[in-house]
Amino acid sequence: KQLPVNAVPVDSLYHEPYRPQFHFSPPHNWMNDPNGLVYFDGEYHLFYQHFPDSNVWGPMHWGHAVSTDLVHWENLPIAIYPDSAGYIFSGSAVVDLKNTSGFGEGTQPPMVAMYTIHDPMKDRAGLNDRESQGIAYSNDKGRTWTKYPGNPVIPNPGEERDFRDPKVFWDGGSGQWIVVLAVKDHVAFWGSPDLKSWRHLSDWGTQYGGHGGVWECPDLFPLTDTATGETKWILIVNINPGAPNGGSGTQYFTGTFNGKEFTMDDNLKDQVSGGQGIWLDYGMDDYAGVTWSNAPLAPDRRLWIGWMSNWEYATVVPTTDWRSACTLPRELSLIQTSHGYRLASHPVQALEQLRQESRTISPARIDSTLDLGEIPSIFELELDFQLPESDDFSIGLVLENEAKESYRIGYDSRSNQFYSDRTAAGDHSFSDRFAAGNHTAPRISDNRHLHLHLYFDVASAELFVDDGSTVMTEIYFPSTPFSRLKLQASGNPVEMTGATIYPLHSIW
């Protein structure tokens, strides 16, 4: 018998079919964008778009969880509820260390959240000013929030219906708070001394990057290249639709920011003109990613997390009591390439605590199929290959189960692309777009050594290659867990120089 959505027995919670075992997902019902990411007093806060009354999208709340290590999560009560002004859409949170807002009590600085107020009545009436920006504050480590009575702090100018997803930060160079907003096909920068009074500074983006859909969930932050000491500003812009493999995706740009305007690096202009983008993750299932504010990291690192789904099918995937999860948290850093600066993504090191006793696979020459035997239902895998000098080969992994379903992921030298093939990986009856063909990602490196780092949860795969310069995130829905792993090569033989499988503990 199907249980009501909010009546899942406690002993089965977080053990339902397809439920991730080392990715964050909500206890019940719908989630989408992670937002309000902030570190304060030993805790990483993860707020997220949440509808507590259904497993499909509805009036948005801010769900809430905290972690001390970015791996194990404690679910907390809903943080911010919709009200007569509207739904609580995506946004960000900061620690107001100097109490510029005046919201603080005593000596502890307040946490301030900035979010989009989405007015459903204006939306249905077709009015342009349906979205504006509001703030709320907390003086108890984010457990309770008070909405500012002067909201909205940034009213909609009335020119665009899409005016949302504020990402706010303190800019020491200009001595003010900066917020970057997504405005249909570009971003807008606003400045404030106190998080309450704002003025428009500049706009950027109509000429560059992907424009196949609406721009959403922007982010702006500096990163330092440890090799040169140079600092670059990274502008992240999520877009839906318009990603390289369809639907939702995350693009980014490098450049400078002077406290008023973002200026993109000149060498990117040819690379991001004519609708082209540079993508943080080429898989189908990584969207709305933003970074943590106030995280205790060196200037060459930034913590980031995304929503592990795609708007093309997010509301119809075959889960019931809960729907959607987050990607693994990742550290972003700058790397130099022949194309200029790029972002590298690395799974946070704290994930290593989930490793169980590893299994090492002996080096082997692969010219057809190598059966690596049984695998656990959740595991981490590291593989190293020495590639042939002639670019006429492919090498990949095949996960299989007793139902003859399979998931394939690997590299094809002929196209110089990584691929993810979930066409036979289980249920895809819910969407004709979910398994419409292989998904691909370019290889940036020309090194003859190839390192693959993969994480396989119950119903997802995340691939990190070449020191994190290419990433792919994909979900799938096998009828039974994948239980065997094979390596397959075609064309010229490929030397596997080493492989290690780590079974992983569940975080739940």
Side-chain angles (χ1 to χ4, degrees), residues 200-370:
H200 178 248
L201 301 174
S202 64
D203 298 294
W204 187 87
T206 55
Q207 301 178 57
Y208 299 111
H211 284 279
V214 175
W215 282 23
E216 295 186 309
C217 301
D219 199 350
L220 180 68
F221 53 89
L223 276 179
T224 300
D225 176 9
T226 54
T228 65
E230 185 177 14
T231 296
K232 288 292 179 183
W233 284 79
I234 313 301
L235 175 61
I236 288 179
V237 179
N238 290 268
I239 183 172
N240 176 56
N245 285 296
S248 319
T250 304
Q251 61 185 332
Y252 67 92
F253 311 88
T254 62
T256 60
F257 182 70
N258 63 6
K260 180 179 180 181
E261 298 172 320
F262 175 78
T263 302
M264 186 178 66
D265 289 338
D266 284 339
N267 68 316
L268 288 190
K269 289 183 178 178
D270 291 339
Q271 302 174 49
V272 296
S273 298
Q276 301 178 87
I278 298 171
W279 303 92
L280 191 62
D281 189 312
Y282 283 84
M284 283 284 282
D285 297 300
D286 187 349
Y287 188 59
V290 287
T291 64
W292 263 274
S293 170
N294 203 45
L297 286 177
D300 63 332
R301 293 287 189 272
R302 190 82 179 185
L303 284 173
W304 175 98
I305 199 168
W307 175 46
M308 196 160 60
S309 196
N310 191 306
W311 278 117
E312 291 205 332
Y313 42 73
T315 60
V316 293
V317 294
T319 63
T320 53
D321 303 313
W322 59 279
R323 190 166 270 151
S324 294
C326 287
T327 68
L328 289 178
R330 303 167 187 177
E331 283 192 7
L332 304 181
S333 59
L334 278 178
I335 56 173
Q336 281 273 19
T337 75
S338 59
H339 304 284
Y341 277 114
R342 290 290 187 271
L343 285 181
S345 301
H346 300 273
V348 294
Q349 190 173 359
L351 289 162
E352 293 180 4
Q353 67 186 285
L354 300 181
R355 291 175 175 175
Q356 302 185 50
E357 186 174 352
S358 63
R359 174 162 70 97
T360 301
I361 299 165
S362 300
R365 182 180 175 86
I366 305 169
D367 55 14
S368 56
T369 300
L370 176 64

Side-chain angles (χ1 to χ4, degrees), residues 163-183:
F163 182 72
R164 56 178 173 267
D165 307 339
K167 187 65 188 329
V168 64
F169 64 94
W170 177 260
D171 178 42
S174 61
Q176 64 180 332
W177 295 100
I178 299 290
V179 69
V180 54
L181 285 163
V183 188

Side-chain angles (χ1 to χ4, degrees), residues 13-92:
L13 183 64
Y14 281 98
H15 295 283
E16 307 92 337
Y18 308 127
R19 173 75 86 160
Q21 291 302 294
F22 58 91
H23 292 79
F24 176 79
S25 58
H28 302 287
N29 291 324
W30 173 264
M31 75 165 283
N32 55 290
D33 307 356
N35 39 229
L37 306 179
V38 63
Y39 175 86
F40 183 53
D41 200 15
E43 292 180 324
Y44 294 94
H45 291 261
L46 169 62
F47 300 94
Y48 55 91
Q49 292 287 276
H50 181 47
F51 184 37
D53 299 329
S54 175
N55 64 0
V56 295
W57 190 94
M60 285 290 97
H61 304 54
W62 271 27
H64 192 193
V66 293
S67 174
T68 58
D69 62 3
L70 291 168
V71 177
H72 301 88
W73 295 93
E74 176 189 356
N75 289 300
L76 295 178
I78 289 170
I80 307 178
Y81 287 79
D83 56 24
S84 58
Y87 304 160
I88 309 300
F89 272 18
S90 291
S92 53

Side-chain angles (χ1 to χ4, degrees), residues 365-367 385-395 411-414 443 446-450 489-497:
R365 182 180 175 86
I366 305 169
D367 55 14
F385 299 99
Q386 188 62 37
L387 304 180
E389 290 300 323
S390 174
D391 284 326
D392 183 20
F393 67 91
S394 69
I395 182 69
Y411 172 67
D412 189 330
S413 71
R414 285 152 275 197
R443 188 182 188 209
D446 57 4
N447 197 319
R448 306 315 293 179
H449 172 258
L450 175 62
S490 65
N492 291 318
V494 178
E495 298 289 340
M496 183 190 72
T497 57

Side-chain angles (χ1 to χ4, degrees), residues 104-137:
E105 298 174 352
T107 58
Q108 181 172 279
M111 296 172 66
V112 180
M114 191 173 192
Y115 53 87
T116 294
I117 304 166
H118 179 92
D119 187 329
M121 301 290 287
K122 290 184 175 180
D123 190 5
R124 286 191 287 270
L127 299 178
N128 275 2
D129 63 345
R130 61 177 183 168
E131 293 176 348
S132 57
Q133 317 313 316
I135 57 175
Y137 60 92

